[in-house]
Amino acid sequence: MHADPSTAAMPAPAETRFITGLRCLRCGADYAPAAIEYVCDCRPNRGSDLGTLDVRYDYAAVARSLTPADLQADPDRSIGRFWPLLPISQRTSLPPLPVGGTPLLAAPRLRRQLALPNLWLKDDGRNPSASFKDRASAIAVARAQAAGRAIVATASTGNAAAALAGQAAAAGQATVIFVPKSAPPAKIAQLLVYGSTVLAVNGSYDDAFDLCTEACLEFGWYNRSTGYNPYMTEGKKTVSYEIALQLAEQSGATAHDPNRLVTPDAVFVSVGDGCIIGGVHKGFKDLLTLGWIDHMPRIYGVQSALSPALYNAWRSGAELPAPLHATTRADSISVDAPRDAVKALAAVRETGGAYLLVDDSAILQAILPLARLGGVFAEPAGAASYAGLLQAMHEGLVQQNETIVVINTGSGLKDVRAAMEVTGEVRAIEPDLAAVRAALQL
C-alpha cells in the first residue's frame, strides 16, 4: 500500500508569506499549507465530488505590501507582478517563459454589430502555448520544482497539457501527459515538440484524469490536474486582475485614483471542468476583499448542449452535477464529470450570473464574427464564450450600456479543422488574370 499524498503532510515548497492556509469547500476543514497537497480527505475516490481546497491569504498584509499603483508601474506585464497573491515565494520562481499580459481588445466593428459600445475581448490565445492554461501551468512547474519533484503530470484534453509542456520545457522539468486519444492532432503535436512523454488513453478525458491521479499517487509525481490541485485556480485568477487593471487604464480611472481598479458588469467564459470560471471568480473576489474594486461582475458560464453537466446542476439547484457522456465538438470543454464543480457553481451563484447552454453549431459559427469583426481567431471552446454572449442577449441578461468582457481561452490554430468546417473551401484557379476575373466575377 502506498500513502495518499493528497492529504498526508508533504515536503512543501517555500510558500509566499501571505498564504495563511487552505480550506475545504465541501466540509469546511482548515489546513496549514504544509499539511495537505491536493484535496481534503472528506472526498470520495472519483467523480465531481472532490474535497476541493481554496487557498487563503492574509489580505491585510498583501494590501500593505502591494497597491494597484505598484502593479501599474511594474514593467513586468506577466503574472509575476502579482506574486504576493500567488502560491510562490517570489516572482523568479516562475519558469522563464512569461505568461499573461494578454490584450483586452475593444473590437469596434463587433461593438457596432451588436450595439454593445462597451464590449471587450480578452484574448488569452496570445499566451505562449496559445491558451489560457499557461497561467496555471506556470504555477504548477514553479511549485513542483520548489518541492524537488522529478516529474509533473497532468490529464488534459490538450490545452492544459500543451501549457504544462511548454512551461516545463523552459524550466527543464520532465513531464508525463495523459490525454484522451480523441485530442486534436495540433495539441498532441505541441506536447511532442516540447518533449513531453505523452500517453494517449483509450477513453475519455475523465478516464485520463483518473489514471493520472492514480499514477501520481503511485509514483510520487506532482499532479497539475485542475480541480484536484488547488493551486491551479491561483494561476487562473490572474486573468481577472489583468481585466480590472486594463479596464482602469482604458477608462483613464488610474489618472484620478491610481489605487482603484475597474470591474466589468459581466464576464463570459466557456466552462468544462470548471477551474477557469472558478479562477475568474477568485480573482475578482481577491480584488474586492483588497478594496481595489467596488463590486463583483456577474459571471456567465457557457457550456455546450453536448456537455451540460454544470448547466444542469445550476438549473436544477443541485449542489453538484450528475456525470454524463459529453460529446461536444469543443474538445476543451468536453467533460463528463467536472472536477472543479464547487468553485464553478459558486462563481455563477454568488455573482448573480447564469449558466448558458449553446449548440455546437452556434459555437462553430461564433468563430467567424470573432475573427472577421474582432480579429481574434478562437478555437471552439474560446468561441463558445461569444456564443454565450449572443444567447444572453437573446434572453435579455445584459444591457446595452454595460461593460462586458468575453474571454477567449484558446487560439483557433489549436483546432484548424473546426475552423475549416465553417469557412468553406479555398477556390483553386489557374495562374492567370482571366482566372482571377472569373473567380471574383470582375
Side-chain angles (χ1 to χ4, degrees), residues 127-142:
N127 273 310
S129 78
S131 91
F132 190 108
K133 304 297 180 66
D134 286 325
R135 296 179 184 272
S137 291
I139 300 297
V141 172

Side-chain angles (χ1 to χ4, degrees), residues 107-117:
R109 296 182 66 209
L110 206 55
R111 287 177 168 185
R112 287 195 295 270
Q113 176 170 349
L114 299 180
L116 293 176

Side-chain angles (χ1 to χ4, degrees), residues 174-230:
T175 56
V176 175
I177 310 294
F178 296 81
V179 297
K181 286 184 70 175
S182 60
K187 296 180 180 180
I188 299 297
Q190 279 189 291
L191 305 178
L192 297 174
V193 167
Y194 284 133
S196 292
T197 298
V198 183
L199 302 177
V201 178
N202 189 17
S204 67
Y205 162 73
D206 299 83
D207 295 323
F209 185 103
D210 291 332
L211 184 58
C212 177
T213 302
E214 292 172 13
C216 287
L217 297 180
E218 179 71 17
F219 306 123
W221 299 341
Y222 188 78
N223 192 336
R224 179 243 180 266
S225 294
T226 57
Y228 191 74
N229 187 324

Side-chain angles (χ1 to χ4, degrees), residues 266 268 298 300 354 356 391-399 402:
F268 288 81
R298 304 188 310 276
Y300 293 93
L356 298 157
Q391 182 64 27
M393 293 177 67
H394 176 72
E395 296 181 21
L397 298 178
V398 294
Q399 303 301 312
E402 290 188 312

